[in-house]
Amino acid sequence: MTHHSSHGTGTRGAGSGSAPDTPRLTTREAAGRLGVKPETVYAYVSRGQLTSRRAPGGRGSTFDAAEVDALARRTGRRDPSPSAPGELVFRTGITLIEPDRYFFRGVDAAELARLHTFEEVAEWIWTGELRPGIRFEAAPEALAAARRTAAALPRHSSSTDRLRAAVAAAAAADPLRFDLSPQGVLNSARTLLPTLVGALPSAGEASSTVPSAGEASSTVPSASSPGGEADAGDSLARRLWPKLSDRPADAASLAVLDTALGLLADHDLAASTLAARVAASTHAHPYAVVSAGLGALEGPLHGAASGAAHRMLSEAVGRGGAAPVVAEHLRAGRRVPGLGHRLYTGEDPRAGVLFALLDEIPQAAPAMAAARDVVATTARHTPLHANVDLALAALSVTCGMPAEAGETVFAVSRTAGWIAHAMEEYAERPLRMRPSGQYTGPRPPQPLPSPSRAAPPGTGPAK
């Protein structure tokens, strides 16, 4: 399959580069082509989905016919539902989500992730170019700093804790981190991803020892030879595998992990991506952008959701069926994890791809049977479909990975998307995200507060 960099215009103004003699439409004509009211046309303008120009003589507005037609084609599939006046709009050419599928720069994302490595998918969403066989390598000094910092955390620290520490250390080791030119950001991104993977301890490895300051990057274990030197030819999926599982990586299971990384690389303006764009709007460097994304990702309703699905699926496998597990969730008033997605009317397309790959792996049969039983059992109560968290859980349960493995995969993968959105945001007007708060406190003027009569800290009651 060959893709070309002509994809990727996304929803950016389709008529911005049109020739001067391109026919222009009146507001009423544009509304007719779109099948909406004239007021809705102006809502599209306020949202950034259409560009308008004052008509000669200043009476009314005109619109580029090609841009209107392009919007009509898009709204024929999914109505953008124009925003309310004043709502902030993010024009993006990275991901388009439809009711049953999604696209990276105009290309079917599920197909792209299934046929190409995570690194190739990352390059595609960053640059709109497909580079077969590309590999990313960490800068030795940054990798050593990231490993030392991540290893210094307490043993109970999560993988996301270690990733956040690794990002901060890698930033401190990169004197060029403030270079926000497209090439500068790409250079940082291509080294940051393998740094994050390399900073994680191997599965089951105790983090009680901290590498010395002069320890070389050769101490980084690789997926192909645990404990040995990293192989520059290894994919990021292969390097990540031993961080998630102490079982050998067979080709089929490794392909599922690599595909999962590609599928999760971006998903439009999820909460963590919005946080990343807010950081980028201040012209924070790419490492700070990724740190912002990681902070939002750790919420139990976002990246950490797959952990709950893993625990539920493990219990269902152990108990020989999903019915008692689902019943306990419903009786406790808890939602059943791994089901439903607000953007898809049916099954999450990311889950569909991963389930199809897992069906080809014999040892995945128990987890897959439990996953399908969860869906079928819950359907008797409410018609919900599987989402990607359930698919990640099926992968992690099958391969003997810990419950947080899905979150780790999510964090490493979505770093690519955060970088792509940062590159877009750097090209926008800086500091454009300044909403106004709706104050609900006491109305001023209020009297100055009286000094507290509380006992000083550490003072106990009189004996």
Side-chain angles (χ1 to χ4, degrees):
M1 181 176 71
T2 303
H3 302 312
H4 303 282
S5 59
S6 58
H7 298 293
T9 54
T11 58
R12 290 190 178 275
S16 57
S18 56
D21 58 347
T22 300
R24 302 195 64 80
L25 307 174
T26 65
T27 302
R28 188 167 298 279
E29 289 170 338
R33 291 199 186 194
L34 292 166
V36 298
K37 297 178 180 180
E39 303 88 89
T40 305
V41 174
Y42 290 112
Y44 285 131
V45 173
S46 69
R47 194 181 182 190
Q49 293 178 293
L50 278 180
T51 52
S52 64
R53 185 188 302 169
R54 298 299 295 175
R59 300 186 64 182
S61 300
T62 64
F63 301 85
D64 183 284
E67 186 182 30
V68 171
D69 289 340
L71 179 58
R73 287 192 295 272
R74 293 197 301 274
T75 58
R77 287 176 288 192
R78 182 185 181 204
D79 190 347
S81 300
S83 313
E87 184 176 329
L88 184 62
V89 173
F90 294 86
R91 294 175 294 180
T92 177
I94 302 169
T95 301
L96 172 66
I97 299 177
E98 294 191 339
D100 60 350
R101 59 200 300 208
Y102 69 119
F103 304 84
F104 290 158
R105 297 195 178 277
V107 173
D108 187 289
E111 184 180 7
L112 189 70
R114 188 174 57 83
L115 297 177
H116 295 282
T117 67
F118 169 55
E119 293 95 317
E120 291 166 356
V121 173
E123 278 289 321
W124 175 254
I125 66 174
W126 290 339
T127 68
E129 296 180 7
L130 190 66
R131 299 179 61 187
I134 189 170
R135 291 289 183 266
F136 301 149
E137 292 305 320
E141 182 179 356
L143 179 56
R147 282 181 58 80
R148 286 196 304 272
T149 305
L153 297 180
R155 285 192 180 189
H156 64 265
S157 300
S158 69
S159 62
T160 306
D161 289 331
R162 300 186 191 282
L163 289 174
R164 286 204 309 267
V167 171
D174 183 3
L176 301 180
R177 63 187 180 276
F178 294 105
D179 179 3
L180 303 187
S181 67
Q183 191 58 51
V185 175
L186 286 172
N187 290 340
S188 295
R190 291 172 182 141
T191 59
L192 177 57
L193 278 168
T195 298
L196 294 179
V197 174
L200 293 171
S202 296
E205 175 185 320
S207 303
S208 56
T209 58
V210 181
S212 64
E215 191 164 358
S217 62
S218 62
T219 61
V220 180
S222 79
S224 55
S225 55
E229 289 192 12
D231 184 352
D234 280 345
S235 68
L236 282 176
R238 181 169 288 280
R239 296 182 221 185
L240 180 60
W241 180 275
K243 317 291 184 172
L244 304 175
S245 176
D246 54 9
R247 299 180 186 178
D250 61 273
S253 298
L254 193 61
V256 181
L257 177 60
D258 198 2
T259 302
L261 288 167
L263 290 168
L264 291 167
D266 191 57
H267 207 233
D268 197 29
L269 287 171
S272 58
T273 303
L274 177 59
R277 287 199 76 133
V278 171
S281 75
T282 72
H283 284 191
H285 55 69
Y287 301 90
V289 168
V290 172
S291 293
L294 286 170
L297 184 74
E298 199 172 15
L301 302 181
H302 192 13
S306 61
H310 172 103
R311 289 183 284 273
M312 175 193 66
L313 209 57
S314 293
E315 187 178 355
V317 170
R319 297 175 70 168
V325 182
V326 170
E328 288 175 5
H329 275 78
L330 297 177
R331 183 166 53 224
R334 301 190 305 264
R335 63 183 297 271
V336 179
L339 299 179
H341 197 291
R342 60 181 296 185
L343 297 180
Y344 297 114
T345 55
E347 184 178 72
D348 185 333
R350 300 169 297 179
V353 172
L354 295 179
F355 284 154
L357 292 174
L358 287 166
D359 275 333
E360 300 298 318
I361 302 176
Q363 63 267 31
M368 286 300 299
R372 292 196 167 97
D373 196 14
V374 166
V375 175
T377 302
T378 310
R380 302 174 201 164
H381 174 72
T382 181
L384 292 175
H385 300 273
N387 63 33
V388 72
D389 294 319
L390 190 63
L392 288 174
L395 170 63
S396 57
V397 169
T398 295
C399 299
M401 298 174 180
E404 67 173 8
E407 182 179 353
T408 305
V409 173
F410 208 127
V412 171
S413 173
R414 191 56 58 87
T415 294
W418 296 331
I419 295 291
H421 280 271
M423 294 176 70
E424 284 193 334
E425 194 59 40
Y426 290 148
E428 296 282 356
R429 176 174 56 83
L431 295 172
R432 67 193 181 106
M433 292 172 232
R434 182 58 176 88
S436 297
Q438 184 175 0
Y439 179 72
T440 60
R443 298 304 305 172
Q446 295 287 323
L448 289 174
S450 301
S452 173
R453 295 178 183 234
T459 302
K463 297 291 187 181

